[in-house]
Amino acid sequence: MSQTLQAVRGMNDILPDEAETWDVFEEIVRSWLRSYGYRPMRMPLVEPTPLFKRAIGEVTDIVEKEMYSFVDSLNGDELTLRPEGTASCVRAVIQHKMLHAGPQRLYYHGPMYRHERPQKGRYRQFHQIGVEALGLAGPDIDAELILMGARLWDDLAIDDVRLELNSLGSADERARHRGALVDYLQAHHDGLDEDGRRRLHSNPLRILDTKNPELQSLVEAAPKLIDFLGEASMAHFEAVQQVLKDAGIPFAINPRLVRGLDYYNRTVFEWVTDSLGAQGTVCAGGRYDGLVEQLGGKPAPAAGFAIGVERVLALWRASGETTERMVPDAYLVHVGDAAGRLAFRVAEDLRACGFDVLMHCGGGSFKSQMKKADGSGAELALLIGEDEAAAGEVSLKPLRGGEQQRISADRLADVLMDRLLQVEEDDGGI
Ligand code: ATP
Ligand code: MG
């Protein structure tokens, strides 16, 4: 026997019980995004490799070691499975000259690919919801992006998240800080780990983001970028904080929050939880004013964030998420040829009226079909036997108690509608 094939390590199947929760989540997310005026975008999963090298930065974890890159065997093009969406989104915005029409509020969602060591909350195929606001320079849009996060946690009844905030200033300010940082790190060269020594000259800011516990006190005492911010950057940062204060959103300034991607400037933020273990960042983002120009567009400011869907769903579950399994309104049981033909007609008529109908397929006795009807979770079984078929009628059997009744197939949709309204009234609805 040949060996059974398995999914690629770190890439997960999402089976129906879980995928139904994803569907509910995505509906909540779509209506949340609409309420802020964001419009959908869909970009390819595969992009030219140079896009990510240029946008994310050569000396980042993602570009150095996490990308799934390959050469197109037909034409030799260097391609990469997207590790994130911002670069693709900005590429598309430039390519289609979307900023000619004014600022754009955009979102996308879908799988991203990074060759990391798989563990809880860290996968090789994972999903992000990306939200980008392009063409807007002020602190108001940074604040809006942050308020959006707070509203989503509220919509999902998640309360175990906190907001961390920092400012990365401008390129000049970062350069001055970088000088001081390199001096400091050089003076403490012996205390650095291998990664730190390697990054000392290529990307010293990233050393501040180290996860190595032995380096914590060293990086805590390092020169802070915030002390190098000029007046304009400081005013921007303070204006963002003012909106958050006005909205009653608590935050902590974390001077070591530098983000793993090179394109950020000024405001950066992360929404973090303590209830998921080490992989606690559920949403991260910030301003990236240089990226549009860096990718060949006319200079334009921009800011955005990405939500890690697997992590938010895990948090939602931990907060008591209770989406119910989807059940049909009715299960259609039928025995005999004439009954089968009437059953098809009845099922289609009901669906045309908006009902969810599960039609029994595969034959079997009334008894075995009724078992399936019970197991389906439907409120009602609709029965069609030879008698009913001959009379053009359907027997309607409530599966959670109540009288069975026989109705003409032509009146079935009306009767079901009345029953549904009745159930909603009993449940305290309309
Ligand atoms: P981390 O520090 O956890 O590696 P990151 O800085 O690489 O995160 P971003 O590139 O900012 O993450 O991506 C935004 C969000 O996407 C993260 O906050 C996280 O929620 C999620 N995410 C990133 N990488 C993964 C992954 N490999 N598996 C699952 N979710 C991920
Ligand atoms: Mg990472």
Side-chain angles (χ1 to χ4, degrees):
M1 210 172 80
S2 63
Q3 216 181 344
T4 42
L5 293 168
Q6 305 272 321
V8 174
R9 191 164 122 81
M11 304 204 181
N12 301 315
D13 298 309
I14 300 160
L15 304 182
D17 277 349
E18 209 190 324
E20 281 183 349
T21 306
W22 281 63
D23 276 359
V24 175
F25 172 73
E26 284 162 10
E27 268 161 38
I28 294 173
V29 163
R30 261 193 281 272
S31 97
W32 160 70
L33 287 161
R34 259 197 308 269
S35 78
Y36 285 87
Y38 283 74
R39 300 184 65 209
M41 280 275 281
R42 295 181 189 231
M43 297 85 65
L45 298 192
V46 176
E47 294 277 359
T49 303
L51 171 66
F52 300 114
K53 290 194 174 167
R54 243 209 270 178
I56 301 170
E58 296 267 5
V59 204
T60 56
D61 281 350
I62 295 180
V63 172
E64 274 185 342
K65 52 188 186 199
E66 294 175 0
M67 295 207 303
Y68 282 92
S69 298
F70 57 98
V71 175
D72 184 328
S73 60
L74 294 181
N75 59 11
D77 285 353
E78 302 215 358
L79 302 176
T80 292
L81 288 182
R82 64 180 185 192
E84 57 107 51
T86 304
S88 313
C89 181
V90 171
R91 194 255 323 126
V93 164
I94 298 168
Q95 183 175 337
H96 302 287
K97 304 182 173 61
M98 290 171 68
L99 287 171
H100 286 189
Q104 300 284 330
R105 285 176 161 97
L106 305 170
Y107 77 88
Y108 47 84
H109 64 119
M112 307 292 163
Y113 302 85
R114 296 185 193 178
H115 199 281
E116 304 196 68
R117 192 170 68 79
Q119 52 196 293
K120 184 170 168 260
R122 195 175 287 289
Y123 310 102
R124 290 182 175 173
Q125 176 181 281
F126 64 99
H127 296 74
Q128 285 186 340
I129 294 154
V131 179
E132 319 284 358
L134 297 116
L136 296 161
D140 49 356
I141 196 74
D142 307 25
E144 179 183 273
L145 289 165
I146 296 171
L147 292 188
M148 286 176 78
R151 171 140 330 275
L152 181 63
W153 316 136
D154 202 52
D155 288 351
L156 296 169
I158 290 174
D159 48 22
D160 186 19
V161 271
R162 57 196 157 74
L163 173 62
E164 295 197 350
L165 202 62
N166 194 18
S167 173
L168 300 183
S170 66
D172 285 353
E173 290 152 3
R174 273 201 305 286
R176 281 196 293 120
H177 167 255
R178 183 189 159 119
L181 183 63
V182 171
D183 288 347
Y184 168 86
L185 292 172
Q186 244 157 359
H188 295 82
H189 193 267
D190 292 347
L192 291 176
D193 58 7
E194 200 192 314
D195 226 29
R197 283 186 203 137
R198 197 167 47 85
R199 291 223 154 100
L200 184 53
H201 295 286
S202 59
N203 196 351
L205 199 59
R206 283 285 281 143
I207 301 177
L208 300 181
D209 192 30
T210 179
K211 303 214 162 71
N212 183 350
E214 285 167 19
L215 258 60
Q216 297 310 309
S217 56
L218 193 149
V219 294
E220 246 153 57
K224 294 186 173 39
L225 214 167
I226 204 161
D227 296 328
F228 290 78
L229 297 189
E231 230 170 87
S233 289
M234 211 55 216
H236 186 103
F237 194 32
E238 273 161 11
V240 175
Q241 293 176 51
Q242 189 58 54
V243 178
L244 299 180
K245 283 179 194 153
D246 290 347
I249 300 195
F251 59 88
I253 294 178
N254 175 358
R256 289 178 44 205
L257 184 65
V258 296
R259 310 286 308 113
L261 300 86
D262 279 356
Y263 49 58
Y264 288 110
N265 69 308
R266 288 202 169 162
T267 319
V268 287
F269 61 92
E270 290 192 359
W271 290 97
V272 188
T273 178
D274 294 319
S275 45
L276 294 180
Q279 268 55 252
T281 303
V282 293
C283 172
R287 184 159 279 287
Y288 53 91
D289 291 329
L291 187 60
V292 176
E293 185 178 19
Q294 205 176 313
L295 293 181
K298 209 169 123 233
F305 63 82
I307 293 174
V309 174
E310 282 82 356
R311 293 186 195 175
V312 169
L313 286 174
L315 186 58
W316 198 25
R317 224 167 287 130
S319 317
E321 161 269 329
T322 50
T323 51
E324 284 175 15
R325 195 188 129 192
M326 285 177 212
V327 295
D329 297 312
Y331 191 100
L332 218 163
V333 167
H334 55 96
V335 176
D337 286 347
R341 282 164 56 201
L342 179 57
F344 263 111
R345 204 191 90 202
V346 163
E348 288 304 326
D349 284 352
L350 290 179
R351 291 179 189 128
C353 294
F355 291 102
D356 302 335
V357 181
L358 198 57
M359 170 142 160
H360 183 83
C361 284
S365 65
F366 255 120
K367 198 168 158 209
S368 71
Q369 293 192 32
M370 280 307 294
K371 261 198 195 146
K372 295 256 165 55
D374 268 329
S376 75
E379 195 78 34
L380 287 173
L382 303 174
L383 318 180
I384 309 179
E386 270 171 35
D387 278 4
E388 283 93 345
E393 292 177 346
V394 176
S395 291
L396 190 154
K397 183 176 166 58
L399 291 169
R400 329 241 161 275
E403 292 290 299
Q404 180 165 330
Q405 66 187 121
R406 236 170 107 151
I407 322 160
S408 144
D410 299 332
R411 286 185 47 239
L412 188 60
D414 285 343
V415 173
L416 286 195
M417 199 71 82
D418 287 346
R419 276 188 64 96
L420 209 66
L421 290 176
Q422 189 61 48
V423 170
E424 279 175 13
E425 263 173 36
D426 292 350
D427 286 350
I430 45 174

